[in-house]
Amino acid sequence: MTNYNRRQFLGVLGSGAVAGVGISQPASAQETPVVKMGNNYFDPIGLHVEPGTTVRFELAAGAHSATAYENRIPSDASAFDSGTISSGSFEYTFEEPGTYDYYCIPHKSVGMVGRIVVGSPGGPAEESSIPNGEVPDSETIVQNGAVAIGSDVEGSGSADGGMMGPGGMMGGSRGGWGGVPFVGGALGMLGLVGGLLYWALGRGDVPHESDGSAMETLQRRYARGEIDEEEFQKRRERLETGEEDASQ
């Protein structure tokens, strides 16, 4: 893992802490809130806006999409889809109140998902857990205005549990947004600890988890940037057919 990637990781956590502290109210229709699309994350991962607000999805790194689950948006809303883009940004105006869940086409399998609540929570997204990754629950999003990636705040909705980090799932139990109120200072400490652990893992000073499945190991390696998209897809296919050990 290069020094650049470690600095990028620490920078993401730091910016997430600032974003979490600075946004405590829903964005009005006159503002244009921004959701960053980075290496396997949306930041903020949860956003509350008023009807009529235009949200801008901006690339921070890589190639990504902002694509709505067609069955997890309000019934009167249209599904948005930026398509996979490698530069620039995508904007969408949220007119219908309710809960919108969305994902990145190339990175859905590693949990790159997000949630936007327009006005008040509601719609099909409130009836079941998001099928990929993890998002904060809607009441948490409304209460905080925005939930930065990596935040340790109450409430989550996920298929597998665990806290979301900039590279996808970081482990934990179901409902694992922690039960701790959102506090900027605590989040800053979390970013520092996470960054140091990430740096140590990159140097090989901290052993990898030995009790995870081969697929989870592969996803962690991909999330940390140790293998690229093409290699990840090849190894995932081999794992599914029992031809490869992800730890190699």
Side-chain angles (χ1 to χ4, degrees):
M1 191 63 58
T2 65
N3 289 334
Y4 170 78
N5 287 335
R6 286 193 286 270
R7 289 196 299 271
Q8 183 183 54
F9 177 82
L10 291 169
V12 166
L13 286 176
S15 63
V18 173
V21 174
I23 304 177
S24 59
Q25 298 296 328
S28 71
Q30 286 72 42
E31 299 172 335
T32 303
V34 174
V35 175
K36 295 288 188 180
M37 300 188 292
N39 289 326
N40 308 331
Y41 68 88
F42 293 105
D43 189 21
I45 190 171
L47 179 66
H48 181 213
V49 300
E50 296 298 341
T53 300
T54 297
V55 176
R56 180 182 302 126
F57 298 86
E58 288 187 353
L59 280 170
H64 305 285
S65 80
T67 305
Y69 290 93
E70 293 186 358
N71 61 345
R72 299 186 66 81
I73 61 175
S75 58
D76 295 333
S78 59
F80 58 89
D81 181 11
S82 67
T84 302
I85 57 177
S86 56
S87 62
S89 62
F90 166 74
E91 293 187 353
Y92 181 79
T93 301
F94 292 84
E95 301 287 358
E96 298 296 329
T99 304
Y100 295 71
D101 284 348
Y102 62 98
Y103 63 93
C104 170
I105 293 173
H107 304 110
K108 179 170 66 172
S109 63
V110 293
M112 186 170 173
V113 295
R115 170 170 288 186
I116 293 176
V117 178
V118 180
S120 301
E126 299 296 333
E127 298 172 2
S128 62
S129 296
I130 194 167
N132 308 97
E134 179 178 355
V135 293
D137 66 37
S138 297
E139 293 300 332
T140 300
I141 295 171
V142 172
Q143 179 180 354
N144 289 277
V147 178
I149 191 72
S151 299
D152 190 15
V153 296
E154 292 184 352
S156 66
S158 69
D160 301 314
M163 189 177 74
M164 284 297 300
M169 299 301 294
M170 295 179 68
S173 59
R174 184 173 295 275
W177 279 84
V180 179
F182 181 78
V183 179
L187 182 57
M189 182 61 67
L190 176 65
L192 177 60
V193 173
L196 290 173
L197 177 59
Y198 184 84
W199 177 82
L201 284 170
R203 288 172 55 90
D205 296 334
V206 177
H208 293 287
E209 292 179 318
S210 59
D211 59 349
S213 69
M215 184 62 74
E216 290 172 345
T217 300
L218 178 61
Q219 290 179 347
R220 286 196 296 270
R221 294 189 64 194
Y222 174 63
R224 291 195 296 266
E226 295 177 6
I227 57 176
D228 59 20
E229 174 75 17
E230 181 179 358
E231 183 68 16
F232 170 75
Q233 296 297 342
K234 288 181 181 178
R235 294 195 177 193
R236 186 179 67 172
E237 291 175 2
R238 291 174 183 171
L239 281 173
E240 290 173 349
T241 58
E243 296 178 0
E244 179 174 334
D245 181 351
S247 64
Q248 298 176 351

